[in-house]
Every structure is written in C-alpha cells, then in structure tokens.
mmCIF file of all heavy atoms in Angstrom:
data_model
loop_
_atom_site.group_PDB
_atom_site.id
_atom_site.type_symbol
_atom_site.label_atom_id
_atom_site.label_comp_id
_atom_site.label_asym_id
_atom_site.label_seq_id
_atom_site.Cartn_x
_atom_site.Cartn_y
_atom_site.Cartn_z
ATOM 1 N N LYS V 1 132.067 14.721 -66.247
ATOM 2 C CA LYS V 1 133.431 14.287 -65.954
ATOM 3 C C LYS V 1 133.612 12.927 -66.601
ATOM 4 O O LYS V 1 132.817 12.012 -66.374
ATOM 5 C CB LYS V 1 133.662 14.184 -64.453
ATOM 6 C CG LYS V 1 135.064 13.724 -64.095
ATOM 7 C CD LYS V 1 135.231 13.673 -62.589
ATOM 8 C CE LYS V 1 136.646 13.279 -62.218
ATOM 9 N NZ LYS V 1 136.814 13.230 -60.769
ATOM 10 N N ILE V 2 134.652 12.808 -67.399
ATOM 11 C CA ILE V 2 134.979 11.543 -68.038
ATOM 12 C C ILE V 2 136.245 11.015 -67.390
ATOM 13 O O ILE V 2 137.271 11.701 -67.351
ATOM 14 C CB ILE V 2 135.198 11.714 -69.557
ATOM 15 C CG1 ILE V 2 133.927 12.261 -70.209
ATOM 16 C CG2 ILE V 2 135.620 10.397 -70.193
ATOM 17 C CD1 ILE V 2 134.087 12.597 -71.682
ATOM 18 N N GLU V 3 136.156 9.802 -66.859
ATOM 19 C CA GLU V 3 137.324 9.117 -66.309
ATOM 20 C C GLU V 3 137.586 7.913 -67.197
ATOM 21 O O GLU V 3 136.680 7.106 -67.425
ATOM 22 C CB GLU V 3 137.067 8.647 -64.881
ATOM 23 C CG GLU V 3 136.904 9.774 -63.892
ATOM 24 C CD GLU V 3 136.649 9.259 -62.494
ATOM 25 O OE1 GLU V 3 137.551 8.613 -61.930
ATOM 26 O OE2 GLU V 3 135.543 9.493 -61.983
ATOM 27 N N ALA V 4 138.799 7.804 -67.680
ATOM 28 C CA ALA V 4 139.153 6.676 -68.537
ATOM 29 C C ALA V 4 140.354 5.961 -67.939
ATOM 30 O O ALA V 4 141.336 6.590 -67.557
ATOM 31 C CB ALA V 4 139.489 7.158 -69.941
ATOM 32 N N ILE V 5 140.258 4.643 -67.844
ATOM 33 C CA ILE V 5 141.363 3.804 -67.394
ATOM 34 C C ILE V 5 141.914 3.145 -68.659
ATOM 35 O O ILE V 5 141.194 2.427 -69.349
ATOM 36 C CB ILE V 5 140.892 2.721 -66.401
ATOM 37 C CG1 ILE V 5 140.065 3.321 -65.269
ATOM 38 C CG2 ILE V 5 142.078 1.918 -65.889
ATOM 39 C CD1 ILE V 5 140.799 4.247 -64.355
ATOM 40 N N ILE V 6 143.191 3.401 -68.955
ATOM 41 C CA ILE V 6 143.781 2.899 -70.200
ATOM 42 C C ILE V 6 145.141 2.253 -69.921
ATOM 43 O O ILE V 6 145.697 2.390 -68.833
ATOM 44 C CB ILE V 6 143.953 4.025 -71.236
ATOM 45 C CG1 ILE V 6 144.923 5.093 -70.720
ATOM 46 C CG2 ILE V 6 142.610 4.636 -71.599
ATOM 47 C CD1 ILE V 6 145.368 6.088 -71.761
ATOM 48 N N LYS V 7 145.673 1.594 -70.940
ATOM 49 C CA LYS V 7 147.020 1.034 -70.847
ATOM 50 C C LYS V 7 148.033 2.175 -70.911
ATOM 51 O O LYS V 7 147.847 3.131 -71.676
ATOM 52 C CB LYS V 7 147.258 0.048 -71.988
ATOM 53 C CG LYS V 7 146.419 -1.211 -71.856
ATOM 54 C CD LYS V 7 146.726 -2.195 -72.952
ATOM 55 C CE LYS V 7 145.952 -3.490 -72.700
ATOM 56 N NZ LYS V 7 146.274 -4.522 -73.686
ATOM 57 N N PRO V 8 149.099 2.096 -70.120
ATOM 58 C CA PRO V 8 150.061 3.206 -70.041
ATOM 59 C C PRO V 8 150.663 3.640 -71.375
ATOM 60 O O PRO V 8 150.838 4.829 -71.618
ATOM 61 C CB PRO V 8 151.145 2.669 -69.103
ATOM 62 C CG PRO V 8 150.435 1.664 -68.256
ATOM 63 C CD PRO V 8 149.414 1.036 -69.157
ATOM 64 N N PHE V 9 150.955 2.709 -72.262
ATOM 65 C CA PHE V 9 151.622 3.081 -73.512
ATOM 66 C C PHE V 9 150.687 3.783 -74.503
ATOM 67 O O PHE V 9 151.134 4.290 -75.528
ATOM 68 C CB PHE V 9 152.277 1.859 -74.167
ATOM 69 C CG PHE V 9 151.314 0.797 -74.635
ATOM 70 C CD1 PHE V 9 150.770 0.845 -75.909
ATOM 71 C CD2 PHE V 9 150.964 -0.249 -73.789
ATOM 72 C CE1 PHE V 9 149.892 -0.131 -76.339
ATOM 73 C CE2 PHE V 9 150.086 -1.239 -74.218
ATOM 74 C CZ PHE V 9 149.549 -1.177 -75.495
ATOM 75 N N LYS V 10 149.406 3.876 -74.175
ATOM 76 C CA LYS V 10 148.437 4.545 -75.040
ATOM 77 C C LYS V 10 148.208 6.010 -74.650
ATOM 78 O O LYS V 10 147.447 6.714 -75.303
ATOM 79 C CB LYS V 10 147.094 3.806 -75.006
ATOM 80 C CG LYS V 10 147.108 2.495 -75.758
ATOM 81 C CD LYS V 10 147.288 2.771 -77.226
ATOM 82 C CE LYS V 10 146.973 1.587 -78.087
ATOM 83 N NZ LYS V 10 146.971 1.954 -79.506
ATOM 84 N N LEU V 11 148.859 6.481 -73.600
ATOM 85 C CA LEU V 11 148.602 7.826 -73.081
ATOM 86 C C LEU V 11 148.825 8.920 -74.123
ATOM 87 O O LEU V 11 147.974 9.790 -74.296
ATOM 88 C CB LEU V 11 149.452 8.104 -71.836
ATOM 89 C CG LEU V 11 149.327 9.503 -71.247
ATOM 90 C CD1 LEU V 11 147.888 9.804 -70.854
ATOM 91 C CD2 LEU V 11 150.258 9.670 -70.067
ATOM 92 N N ASP V 12 149.949 8.913 -74.808
ATOM 93 C CA ASP V 12 150.233 9.975 -75.783
ATOM 94 C C ASP V 12 149.204 10.003 -76.906
ATOM 95 O O ASP V 12 148.762 11.076 -77.317
ATOM 96 C CB ASP V 12 151.644 9.824 -76.356
ATOM 97 C CG ASP V 12 152.712 10.223 -75.346
ATOM 98 O OD1 ASP V 12 152.412 11.041 -74.454
ATOM 99 O OD2 ASP V 12 153.841 9.714 -75.459
ATOM 100 N N GLU V 13 148.813 8.839 -77.391
ATOM 101 C CA GLU V 13 147.814 8.777 -78.456
ATOM 102 C C GLU V 13 146.473 9.338 -77.980
ATOM 103 O O GLU V 13 145.815 10.082 -78.711
ATOM 104 C CB GLU V 13 147.613 7.327 -78.919
ATOM 105 C CG GLU V 13 148.761 6.769 -79.712
ATOM 106 C CD GLU V 13 148.516 5.313 -80.079
ATOM 107 O OE1 GLU V 13 147.465 5.023 -80.694
ATOM 108 O OE2 GLU V 13 149.376 4.489 -79.744
ATOM 109 N N VAL V 14 146.086 8.991 -76.768
ATOM 110 C CA VAL V 14 144.810 9.472 -76.224
ATOM 111 C C VAL V 14 144.870 10.983 -76.017
ATOM 112 O O VAL V 14 143.930 11.706 -76.368
ATOM 113 C CB VAL V 14 144.457 8.741 -74.913
ATOM 114 C CG1 VAL V 14 143.256 9.380 -74.234
ATOM 115 C CG2 VAL V 14 144.203 7.271 -75.180
ATOM 116 N N ARG V 15 145.966 11.478 -75.480
ATOM 117 C CA ARG V 15 146.116 12.928 -75.257
ATOM 118 C C ARG V 15 146.000 13.698 -76.569
ATOM 119 O O ARG V 15 145.296 14.708 -76.656
ATOM 120 C CB ARG V 15 147.461 13.225 -74.593
ATOM 121 C CG ARG V 15 147.643 14.697 -74.244
ATOM 122 C CD ARG V 15 149.030 15.001 -73.708
ATOM 123 N NE ARG V 15 150.099 14.486 -74.536
ATOM 124 C CZ ARG V 15 150.543 15.068 -75.668
ATOM 125 N NH1 ARG V 15 149.976 16.169 -76.103
ATOM 126 N NH2 ARG V 15 151.538 14.532 -76.352
ATOM 127 N N GLU V 16 146.668 13.219 -77.612
ATOM 128 C CA GLU V 16 146.603 13.878 -78.917
ATOM 129 C C GLU V 16 145.188 13.833 -79.491
ATOM 130 O O GLU V 16 144.701 14.825 -80.047
ATOM 131 C CB GLU V 16 147.587 13.224 -79.882
ATOM 132 C CG GLU V 16 149.029 13.534 -79.556
ATOM 133 C CD GLU V 16 150.022 12.714 -80.366
ATOM 134 O OE1 GLU V 16 149.613 12.101 -81.382
ATOM 135 O OE2 GLU V 16 151.200 12.691 -79.989
ATOM 136 N N ALA V 17 144.517 12.689 -79.361
ATOM 137 C CA ALA V 17 143.154 12.553 -79.878
ATOM 138 C C ALA V 17 142.191 13.494 -79.150
ATOM 139 O O ALA V 17 141.325 14.114 -79.778
ATOM 140 C CB ALA V 17 142.683 11.109 -79.753
ATOM 141 N N LEU V 18 142.351 13.622 -77.841
ATOM 142 C CA LEU V 18 141.493 14.528 -77.075
ATOM 143 C C LEU V 18 141.761 15.983 -77.453
ATOM 144 O O LEU V 18 140.842 16.791 -77.549
ATOM 145 C CB LEU V 18 141.697 14.313 -75.574
ATOM 146 C CG LEU V 18 141.082 13.041 -75.007
ATOM 147 C CD1 LEU V 18 141.542 12.808 -73.581
ATOM 148 C CD2 LEU V 18 139.561 13.076 -75.081
ATOM 149 N N SER V 19 143.001 16.305 -77.676
ATOM 150 C CA SER V 19 143.361 17.660 -78.085
ATOM 151 C C SER V 19 142.709 18.015 -79.420
ATOM 152 O O SER V 19 142.234 19.134 -79.609
ATOM 153 C CB SER V 19 144.881 17.772 -78.184
ATOM 154 O OG SER V 19 145.252 19.069 -78.544
ATOM 155 N N GLU V 20 142.646 17.056 -80.331
ATOM 156 C CA GLU V 20 142.043 17.284 -81.639
ATOM 157 C C GLU V 20 140.543 17.559 -81.571
ATOM 158 O O GLU V 20 140.007 18.244 -82.436
ATOM 159 C CB GLU V 20 142.305 16.083 -82.562
ATOM 160 C CG GLU V 20 143.733 15.997 -83.027
ATOM 161 C CD GLU V 20 144.026 14.730 -83.822
ATOM 162 O OE1 GLU V 20 143.062 14.000 -84.187
ATOM 163 O OE2 GLU V 20 145.209 14.456 -84.057
ATOM 164 N N VAL V 21 139.869 17.033 -80.547
ATOM 165 C CA VAL V 21 138.420 17.291 -80.413
ATOM 166 C C VAL V 21 138.128 18.467 -79.497
ATOM 167 O O VAL V 21 136.975 18.722 -79.158
ATOM 168 C CB VAL V 21 137.635 16.032 -79.948
ATOM 169 C CG1 VAL V 21 137.725 14.941 -80.972
ATOM 170 C CG2 VAL V 21 138.057 15.571 -78.580
ATOM 171 N N GLY V 22 139.169 19.191 -79.075
ATOM 172 C CA GLY V 22 138.959 20.422 -78.323
ATOM 173 C C GLY V 22 139.054 20.330 -76.821
ATOM 174 O O GLY V 22 138.693 21.278 -76.126
ATOM 175 N N VAL V 23 139.560 19.222 -76.297
ATOM 176 C CA VAL V 23 139.735 19.112 -74.847
ATOM 177 C C VAL V 23 141.004 19.872 -74.474
ATOM 178 O O VAL V 23 142.096 19.552 -74.943
ATOM 179 C CB VAL V 23 139.822 17.636 -74.403
ATOM 180 C CG1 VAL V 23 140.135 17.545 -72.918
ATOM 181 C CG2 VAL V 23 138.524 16.922 -74.726
ATOM 182 N N ALA V 24 140.842 20.900 -73.633
ATOM 183 C CA ALA V 24 141.954 21.796 -73.333
ATOM 184 C C ALA V 24 142.879 21.290 -72.237
ATOM 185 O O ALA V 24 144.056 21.608 -72.216
ATOM 186 C CB ALA V 24 141.409 23.164 -72.947
ATOM 187 N N GLY V 25 142.375 20.525 -71.288
ATOM 188 C CA GLY V 25 143.205 20.073 -70.186
ATOM 189 C C GLY V 25 142.745 18.735 -69.670
ATOM 190 O O GLY V 25 141.607 18.323 -69.896
ATOM 191 N N LEU V 26 143.659 18.047 -69.014
ATOM 192 C CA LEU V 26 143.312 16.756 -68.435
ATOM 193 C C LEU V 26 144.225 16.472 -67.259
ATOM 194 O O LEU V 26 145.266 17.084 -67.108
ATOM 195 C CB LEU V 26 143.395 15.632 -69.471
ATOM 196 C CG LEU V 26 144.693 15.432 -70.249
ATOM 197 C CD1 LEU V 26 145.630 14.483 -69.532
ATOM 198 C CD2 LEU V 26 144.368 14.858 -71.609
ATOM 199 N N THR V 27 143.797 15.549 -66.434
ATOM 200 C CA THR V 27 144.584 15.107 -65.292
ATOM 201 C C THR V 27 144.912 13.641 -65.494
ATOM 202 O O THR V 27 144.042 12.859 -65.873
ATOM 203 C CB THR V 27 143.791 15.277 -63.974
ATOM 204 O OG1 THR V 27 143.461 16.661 -63.826
ATOM 205 C CG2 THR V 27 144.605 14.820 -62.776
ATOM 206 N N VAL V 28 146.170 13.288 -65.256
ATOM 207 C CA VAL V 28 146.626 11.915 -65.452
ATOM 208 C C VAL V 28 147.171 11.382 -64.133
ATOM 209 O O VAL V 28 147.944 12.057 -63.452
ATOM 210 C CB VAL V 28 147.728 11.854 -66.526
ATOM 211 C CG1 VAL V 28 148.287 10.448 -66.662
ATOM 212 C CG2 VAL V 28 147.203 12.342 -67.861
ATOM 213 N N THR V 29 146.761 10.167 -63.788
ATOM 214 C CA THR V 29 147.228 9.517 -62.569
ATOM 215 C C THR V 29 147.687 8.104 -62.907
ATOM 216 O O THR V 29 147.015 7.406 -63.669
ATOM 217 C CB THR V 29 146.082 9.420 -61.529
ATOM 218 O OG1 THR V 29 145.464 10.689 -61.392
ATOM 219 C CG2 THR V 29 146.604 8.962 -60.187
ATOM 220 N N GLU V 30 148.811 7.700 -62.354
ATOM 221 C CA GLU V 30 149.247 6.318 -62.502
ATOM 222 C C GLU V 30 148.527 5.499 -61.443
ATOM 223 O O GLU V 30 148.588 5.813 -60.260
ATOM 224 C CB GLU V 30 150.760 6.202 -62.311
ATOM 225 C CG GLU V 30 151.552 6.855 -63.425
ATOM 226 C CD GLU V 30 153.057 6.718 -63.231
ATOM 227 O OE1 GLU V 30 153.503 5.911 -62.390
ATOM 228 O OE2 GLU V 30 153.773 7.436 -63.932
ATOM 229 N N VAL V 31 147.826 4.465 -61.884
ATOM 230 C CA VAL V 31 147.050 3.633 -60.971
ATOM 231 C C VAL V 31 147.361 2.168 -61.214
ATOM 232 O O VAL V 31 148.025 1.824 -62.192
ATOM 233 C CB VAL V 31 145.528 3.889 -61.120
ATOM 234 C CG1 VAL V 31 145.174 5.305 -60.737
ATOM 235 C CG2 VAL V 31 145.059 3.592 -62.533
ATOM 236 N N LYS V 32 146.889 1.314 -60.332
ATOM 237 C CA LYS V 32 147.020 -0.132 -60.504
ATOM 238 C C LYS V 32 145.663 -0.758 -60.266
ATOM 239 O O LYS V 32 144.893 -0.281 -59.442
ATOM 240 C CB LYS V 32 148.035 -0.715 -59.516
ATOM 241 C CG LYS V 32 149.451 -0.299 -59.794
ATOM 242 C CD LYS V 32 150.399 -0.962 -58.829
ATOM 243 C CE LYS V 32 151.810 -0.525 -59.143
ATOM 244 N NZ LYS V 32 152.790 -1.275 -58.396
ATOM 245 N N GLY V 33 145.389 -1.840 -60.963
ATOM 246 C CA GLY V 33 144.117 -2.507 -60.764
ATOM 247 C C GLY V 33 144.019 -3.757 -61.608
ATOM 248 O O GLY V 33 144.964 -4.135 -62.285
ATOM 249 N N PHE V 34 142.857 -4.377 -61.537
ATOM 250 C CA PHE V 34 142.604 -5.534 -62.385
ATOM 251 C C PHE V 34 141.120 -5.628 -62.651
ATOM 252 O O PHE V 34 140.301 -5.121 -61.902
ATOM 253 C CB PHE V 34 143.121 -6.837 -61.761
ATOM 254 C CG PHE V 34 142.366 -7.286 -60.544
ATOM 255 C CD1 PHE V 34 141.272 -8.135 -60.669
ATOM 256 C CD2 PHE V 34 142.729 -6.859 -59.288
ATOM 257 C CE1 PHE V 34 140.571 -8.543 -59.549
ATOM 258 C CE2 PHE V 34 142.036 -7.264 -58.165
ATOM 259 C CZ PHE V 34 140.947 -8.114 -58.298
ATOM 260 N N GLY V 35 140.798 -6.267 -63.748
ATOM 261 C CA GLY V 35 139.408 -6.514 -64.112
ATOM 262 C C GLY V 35 139.296 -7.973 -64.467
ATOM 263 O O GLY V 35 139.706 -8.849 -63.711
ATOM 264 N N ARG V 36 138.817 -8.249 -65.655
ATOM 265 C CA ARG V 36 138.689 -9.628 -66.102
ATOM 266 C C ARG V 36 140.033 -10.299 -66.283
ATOM 267 O O ARG V 36 140.132 -11.516 -66.260
ATOM 268 C CB ARG V 36 137.924 -9.685 -67.411
ATOM 269 C CG ARG V 36 136.473 -9.340 -67.248
ATOM 270 C CD ARG V 36 135.734 -9.528 -68.532
ATOM 271 N NE ARG V 36 134.356 -9.122 -68.372
ATOM 272 C CZ ARG V 36 133.565 -8.859 -69.375
ATOM 273 N NH1 ARG V 36 133.990 -8.971 -70.604
ATOM 274 N NH2 ARG V 36 132.316 -8.503 -69.148
#
C-alpha cells in the first residue's frame, strides 16, 4: 500500500503519471496537516 501526501494542485499530474505506469485505481482524501 502506497500512501502519498501531496499538494492539492498536483493531484491531476500524479493521477496521470500513475495511470501511465499501470495503476488502475486509487483513493483520494482531502486532509490537513503540517510538517517542517
């Protein structure tokens, strides 16, 4: 299971890139958080 936390405006690019490598489905959740 791969969980990736990304910036919201990058979602479409990531979805397309995953589709190109053969990932058939994914789950997307809007979350909030902070790191550094």
